[in-house]
Amino acid sequence: MAVDELLAQFHEIAASPKKQLEKYLAQGKKVVACAPVYTPEEIIHSMGLVPMGVWGADQKVGEAKKYYPAFICSIMQTVLELGITGKYQGVSAIVIPSLCDSLKCLGQNWKYAVPDIPFIPMTYPQNRKPSYGIAFTKAGYERVISDLSAATGAKFSEVALADSNRIYNEHNAVMREFAEIAADHAVSAAQRSDVFKSAWFMRKEEHTAMVKQLNAELAQTPKDKGKIRVVVSGILADSPSLLEIFDKNEIRIAADDVAFESRQYRTDVPEDPNSLDALARKYANMDNCSVLYDRDKKRVDSILELAKRHDARGVIVLMTKFCDPEEFDYVPIKRACEAAGLLNLNIEVDRQMVNYEQANTMIQTFREMF
Amino acid sequence: MSEEVKKQRPAPDPNSAKFKLGQIAAKAYSDCVEAKARGEKVGWCASNFPVEIPETLGLHVCYPENQAAAIAARGGGERLCSESEGEGYSNDICAYARISLAYMKLKDAPEQNMPQPDFVLCCNNICNCMIKWYENIAKELDIPMIMIDIPFNPDYEVSEAQTAYIRAQFWDAIHQLEQITGKKWSEERFQEVKKISGRSSRAWLEATACAKHNPSPFNGFDLLNHMAVMVTARAKKEAADAMETLLKEYKENHEKGVSTFRAEEKYRIMFEGIACWPWLRVTSSGLKDRGINMVTTIYADAFGFIYDDFDGMCRAYSRVPNAMCLELARDKRVKLCKDDHVEGLLVHTNRSCKLWSGFMPEMSRQIGKACGIPVASFDGDQADPRNFSAAQYDTRVQGLMEIMEENKGGN
Ligand code: SF4
Ligand code: SF4
């Protein structure tokens, strides 16, 4: 299939999660919603259930206002809104981790706002690296397993998890490869986003197959030069209007540190005779994210390193309004960029944004500096 | 903290609980300054970090949240918040953190100074915002960060897995601190600390429970001031003495039929949330002028740290406000409302505190229903004066009062 056709397929899936949900339900599968930022999808997958990401939608908030005050991020607001308004109907359960304060509240609100979709908490440790942290992660996973069984009747087996761990590792690898190829080939910011976004709405083996094909096709196209290369950082980068501004201004996302995108695919499940231990160790090995305890702010170094490795001229932070973990990290990121001579922009975004004038001006000004 | 209204008042009685509590708060700062001057390492400590650890080790620590509250109460909140914003911190970030990060840079605030830290003690049982705030301090000042992670507990009980995780971290923290400061953990001293903390806690619980009397022998705004000592100094002998004095005074007040609420108590409410420190006077007189006594807050329950052993201590720190699931948090409040014959609930929707405010609408609805009382909320902030409107506060309190009046069968 030609590159364009493939990209059109990714777009179709990224733009219509509802259709994907209906497709899986029609196949007799059970679907489990996965809230940001990390959930043990491998476990859900291994139990024969379909994990689907729920990161909200670009829309207004009405019903959720009865639960959340206005100063909670629009991702949480719209996830709750979609739940209350029945958009997740058919979903068997939702797994919500407590990685930030607003997520802690999502779980508590969910029980009363969307009582027909069971809430399954996933409590991750912040001291995730010592053995006691790994043991606690494992206990959290065991809890998720038993809640999933109760909600869906599905059974867990370590053998099946070992398979799913492999499937997820393979998916990680193709996504990392895609990010590298997209950095040098003719893939627009919007198309790049479609590839990442569609991953949340598909079984990973299906997505892997499609991305593999895309990577192979793209690798044969000539390199696309002459654009301003940047690293994009933030929680989300999927707003079509915003991505259009990137594309119009010939700005290329050479690499990303976006929670919805590459942060998901950096860490593989390590080899371990016990598949559940292995998955707990994966979480222990994860780093460079605003919701994972990071005394040394290694995330900041990792962003600089990413920029260097990808020959980026600047770092564009897409700041989800009211996301305090990211807001705290912004200051050290900004300082580090300045010290390294990298331009940086902080563009505030939220899912209710309709006017992108300010973002447009900022990006244009940024563009003119080169 | 002693955010006293600056009026000409007779010199306080040095034997009064209020005086003693004020002294303890002030001494915590001066002890820290002296320790630093002696060359000891001092720390900055999160309010709900297990105080037993620094206390047993004999470490001097000060509390950025207390400092930020003191700065805000004395009018410096906006200045320091703006300073942080100038550094690039969003004004959506908790104002305590903004004030503290500004103080780290300026190293001086006439409203309330404290020594710069040699290490930070972080515990996220009240919020994950704490982690980010302390990460930034530790990184910038290049000092050790002791991080005790007490996860938000989605369940009513504290699981064995959670207890084991916390226990391991407590020991890890103790060992790290021994290395950093050269001080040693002593089991004997811990037993003593535990005993004193228990004494303070029992006195506090009993004192705050005096609100069950009609009229209440105290003005609930007292609790907002005294709770700082409960949180940070409850393991000190002077704190236990002061809390016992407080209890004695409240009992005496009741016997004499007097109260620190200096108005006729017409209505009794529960106040939900952190005080609006920059607007303490306005928020307090908005109630008092209407004869509304805030008889209780969750602090009344929250700082009763009574436990038998090390594991009990681990569990106690999982049950602080903001670490509890909605149901447990609700039930504790419902009990307070019922025990103290509360007639209305006033909720501070605190822009600084996502976790405290993020499921409060639902929880307060449930409390209102369970207790058959009206609920009103107002927008504010515990330390950034820009996020509060006196007019809105007034309207909401008035509305609450009118319903309480109706419920009394007035009109
Ligand atoms: S965007 Fe930020 S605040 Fe919102 S859920 Fe994600 S990490 Fe939490
Ligand atoms: S006010 Fe809330 S967010 Fe700020 S430090 Fe306290 S608990 Fe955390």
Side-chain angles (χ1 to χ4, degrees):
Chain A
M1 214 183 290
V3 167
D4 282 353
E5 266 172 79
L6 277 165
L7 286 170
Q9 278 185 10
F10 283 109
H11 178 72
E12 166 89 23
I13 294 164
S16 46
K18 183 93 185 137
K19 236 161 115 183
Q20 287 295 110
L21 172 62
E22 278 158 11
K23 185 185 97 182
Y24 288 123
L25 293 177
Q27 289 171 5
K29 296 200 162 67
K30 288 189 172 154
V31 174
V32 173
C34 295
V37 177
Y38 305 107
T39 51
E41 275 199 37
E42 290 88 340
I43 291 176
I44 301 167
H45 181 273
S46 77
M47 292 171 75
L49 310 163
V50 183
M52 280 183 79
V54 290
W55 291 60
D58 293 337
Q59 65 162 68
K60 286 212 173 73
V61 178
E63 292 301 307
K65 284 187 185 157
K66 294 183 190 148
Y67 293 87
Y68 269 139
F71 46 83
I72 301 292
C73 76
S74 58
I75 300 179
M76 294 295 89
Q77 303 265 10
T78 55
V79 169
L80 196 58
E81 182 77 17
L82 292 166
I84 298 172
T85 52
K87 302 294 186 300
Y88 300 140
Q89 228 166 36
V91 166
S92 299
I94 182 168
V95 180
I96 304 175
S98 50
L99 285 162
C100 76
D101 294 330
S102 308
L103 276 159
K104 295 173 190 173
C105 298
L106 179 65
Q108 299 310 301
N109 283 327
W110 190 272
K111 291 181 276 190
Y112 300 96
V114 197
D116 48 339
I117 299 180
F119 155 54
I120 300 180
M122 173 60 215
T123 306
Y124 284 108
Q126 286 294 341
N127 277 320
R128 59 198 180 278
K129 294 183 191 284
S131 55
Y132 55 72
I134 298 176
F136 188 66
T137 304
K138 190 175 176 191
Y141 289 164
E142 283 162 350
R143 198 279 170 69
V144 168
I145 291 169
S146 87
D147 284 6
L148 280 172
S149 295
T152 66
K155 296 269 172 303
F156 173 79
S157 96
E158 274 169 22
V159 178
L161 180 61
D163 277 343
S164 295
N165 286 347
R166 265 193 299 278
I167 289 169
Y168 271 74
N169 280 354
E170 191 187 3
H171 183 249
N172 287 352
V174 300
M175 292 307 282
R176 291 193 293 256
E177 190 189 359
F178 167 72
E180 295 304 329
I181 295 175
D184 291 315
H185 291 83
V187 178
S188 71
Q191 290 166 333
R192 184 183 185 282
S193 161
D194 286 336
V195 175
F196 279 103
K197 191 167 183 172
S198 54
W200 290 100
F201 311 139
M202 290 177 78
R203 277 157 49 91
K204 292 296 183 282
E205 50 273 59
E206 296 169 21
H207 197 253
T208 299
M210 276 177 71
V211 180
K212 262 189 179 166
Q213 215 184 333
L214 177 69
N215 287 348
E217 297 287 343
L218 275 175
Q220 287 173 22
T221 60
K223 290 209 169 176
D224 186 40
K225 297 214 168 88
K227 291 193 172 143
I228 304 295
R229 299 167 68 85
V230 298
V231 169
V232 171
S233 175
I235 296 290
L236 268 184
D238 71 340
S239 152
S241 313
L242 191 67
L243 295 170
E244 199 185 301
I245 300 173
F246 275 73
D247 288 329
K248 261 199 341 238
N249 286 285
E250 305 243 295
I251 297 210
R252 172 180 298 288
I253 301 176
D256 80 82
D257 164 56
V258 171
F260 187 67
E261 301 184 356
S262 291
R263 281 191 220 171
Q264 300 292 328
Y265 306 116
R266 289 171 182 160
T267 314
D268 289 341
V269 185
E271 285 298 327
D272 192 300
N274 180 301
S275 54
L276 198 58
D277 285 335
L279 194 61
R281 281 175 48 216
K282 170 188 169 179
Y283 176 71
N285 293 340
M286 283 165 59
D287 275 316
N288 303 332
C289 176
S290 56
V291 297
L292 303 177
Y293 173 45
D294 181 16
R295 152 63 182 84
D296 299 320
K297 294 281 174 194
K298 283 194 273 184
R299 174 178 173 219
V300 177
D301 303 329
S302 81
I303 292 172
L304 291 193
E305 170 61 30
L306 209 57
K308 201 166 135 200
R309 214 164 3 104
H310 292 87
D311 214 7
R313 313 284 295 273
V315 174
I316 299 184
V317 175
L318 298 179
M319 181 62 70
T320 296
K321 174 100 179 127
F322 298 122
C323 175
D324 55 322
E326 292 278 309
E327 288 166 347
F328 273 104
D329 276 1
Y330 173 66
V331 174
I333 291 173
K334 177 180 94 150
R335 289 185 188 152
C337 285
E338 283 164 4
L342 275 171
L343 282 177
N344 85 88
L345 280 190
N346 180 10
I347 301 178
E348 202 166 76
V349 289
D350 73 42
R351 284 199 170 288
Q352 283 79 53
M353 209 153 123
V354 278
N355 185 347
Y356 286 82
E357 251 333 287
Q358 204 188 348
N360 196 15
T361 314
M362 287 170 88
I363 291 176
Q364 264 176 10
T365 316
F366 178 84
R367 172 81 183 82
E368 281 155 15
M369 291 178 143
F370 300 98
Chain B
M1 275 154 299
S2 49
E3 280 63 71
E4 293 310 316
V5 180
K6 288 183 202 79
K7 260 194 216 155
Q8 279 301 322
R9 290 238 175 100
D13 171 3
N15 292 318
S16 69
K18 187 170 163 184
F19 183 81
K20 289 183 182 172
L21 289 162
Q23 290 294 99
I24 294 168
K27 193 165 176 290
Y29 287 107
S30 59
D31 281 355
C32 235
V33 172
E34 285 163 22
K36 181 98 181 177
R38 285 195 302 271
E40 277 182 43
K41 289 199 157 77
V42 302
W44 281 7
C45 184
S47 64
N48 278 260
F49 187 91
V51 66
E52 288 82 351
I53 294 179
E55 197 59 41
T56 302
L57 288 167
L59 303 179
H60 289 285
V61 293
C62 32
Y63 293 85
E65 289 151 82
N66 281 10
Q67 183 201 30
I71 290 175
R74 293 166 192 157
E78 183 167 350
R79 189 180 82 253
L80 273 85
C81 284
S82 304
E83 184 72 37
S84 280
E85 289 156 27
E87 289 293 298
Y89 288 106
S90 162
N91 66 5
D92 299 330
I93 288 177
C94 166
Y96 279 173
R98 272 179 287 151
I99 290 175
S100 174
L101 290 162
Y103 185 74
M104 168 183 71
K105 178 185 159 210
L106 299 172
K107 308 199 189 310
D108 182 40
E111 295 88 353
Q112 180 65 65
N113 271 307
M114 62 187 200
Q116 290 293 311
D118 301 297
F119 56 86
V120 284
L121 306 182
C122 183
C123 182
N124 63 328
N125 48 1
I126 52 165
C127 63
N128 276 22
C129 158
M130 207 82 211
I131 307 177
K132 304 305 295 179
W133 163 10
Y134 277 47
E135 274 176 2
N136 285 22
I137 294 178
K139 173 75 181 169
E140 187 151 336
L141 300 180
D142 194 17
I143 53 176
M145 171 162 170
I146 313 299
M147 168 70 205
I148 292 186
D149 170 36
I150 300 190
F152 182 87
N153 184 9
D155 301 316
Y156 215 87
E157 302 299 333
V158 183
S159 69
E160 185 39 48
Q162 174 135 335
T163 310
Y165 173 54
I166 297 169
R167 184 198 310 125
Q169 292 182 83
F170 276 23
W171 284 116
D172 214 351
I174 291 165
H175 296 140
Q176 286 177 64
L177 281 167
E178 285 181 332
Q179 284 213 328
I180 294 167
T181 65
K183 304 219 173 164
K184 283 275 160 281
W185 179 266
S186 133
E187 189 53 34
E188 204 182 320
R189 175 75 188 125
F190 171 64
Q191 292 303 332
E192 226 172 85
V193 163
K194 188 185 89 177
K195 230 167 77 198
I196 301 171
S197 167
R199 248 183 77 199
S200 303
S201 298
R202 271 184 288 272
W204 170 260
L205 289 175
E206 214 185 317
T208 57
C210 290
K212 66 175 184 276
H213 298 303
N214 207 339
S216 164
F218 64 88
N219 179 345
F221 273 77
D222 297 355
L223 304 185
L224 301 179
N225 282 327
H226 303 336
M227 70 102 184
V229 169
M230 234 2 248
V231 179
T232 61
R234 72 173 172 276
K236 294 190 195 294
K237 198 182 152 298
E238 309 85 75
D241 292 345
M243 287 303 162
E244 285 165 359
T245 309
L246 187 73
L247 170 60
K248 197 171 121 253
E249 288 177 4
Y250 286 176
K251 279 183 170 165
E252 284 169 7
N253 281 1
H254 169 60
E255 279 155 21
K256 292 188 209 145
V258 296
S259 172
T260 59
F261 183 68
R262 311 239 179 261
E264 188 201 340
E265 184 183 282
K266 293 194 204 141
Y267 313 96
R268 303 157 62 85
I269 61 161
M270 177 173 193
F271 181 85
E272 184 55 63
I274 306 177
C276 274
W277 295 115
W279 298 98
L280 200 58
R281 183 117 57 109
V282 176
T283 46
S284 147
S285 54
L287 298 179
K288 202 175 79 186
D289 295 350
R290 293 180 168 90
I292 302 176
N293 190 8
M294 178 261 260
V295 292
T296 193
T297 94
I298 189 62
Y299 297 141
D301 169 275
F303 303 122
F305 279 83
I306 298 170
Y307 48 82
D308 295 329
D309 52 16
F310 203 87
D311 276 8
M313 175 172 78
C314 297
R315 283 190 291 272
Y317 280 96
S318 281
R319 294 170 76 97
V320 303
N322 279 9
M324 293 182 272
C325 66
L326 187 149
E327 296 75 18
L328 179 57
R330 173 199 64 203
D331 292 351
K332 281 178 177 289
R333 286 159 168 93
V334 167
K335 180 169 187 315
L336 286 170
C337 285
K338 291 194 168 161
D339 287 354
D340 298 335
H341 321 293
V342 160
E343 302 164 87
L345 176 64
L346 182 62
V347 176
H348 173 197
T349 303
N350 182 350
R351 197 175 187 279
S352 268
C353 196
K354 295 185 167 58
L355 187 45
W356 204 321
S357 303
F359 59 90
M360 189 52 72
E362 175 59 22
M363 182 162 81
S364 53
R365 271 194 294 275
Q366 294 188 16
I367 297 168
K369 208 164 149 204
C371 302
I373 55 170
V375 178
S377 67
F378 68 95
D379 299 317
D381 192 294
Q382 91 273 17
D384 186 335
R386 294 167 290 187
N387 297 327
F388 173 83
S389 143
Q392 190 214 40
Y393 180 77
D394 201 60
T395 316
R396 300 289 168 88
V397 171
Q398 179 66 22
L400 182 68
M401 187 193 85
E402 284 165 13
I403 306 175
M404 292 193 293
E405 182 58 34
E406 249 176 64
N407 290 350
K408 280 184 194 292
N411 290 346

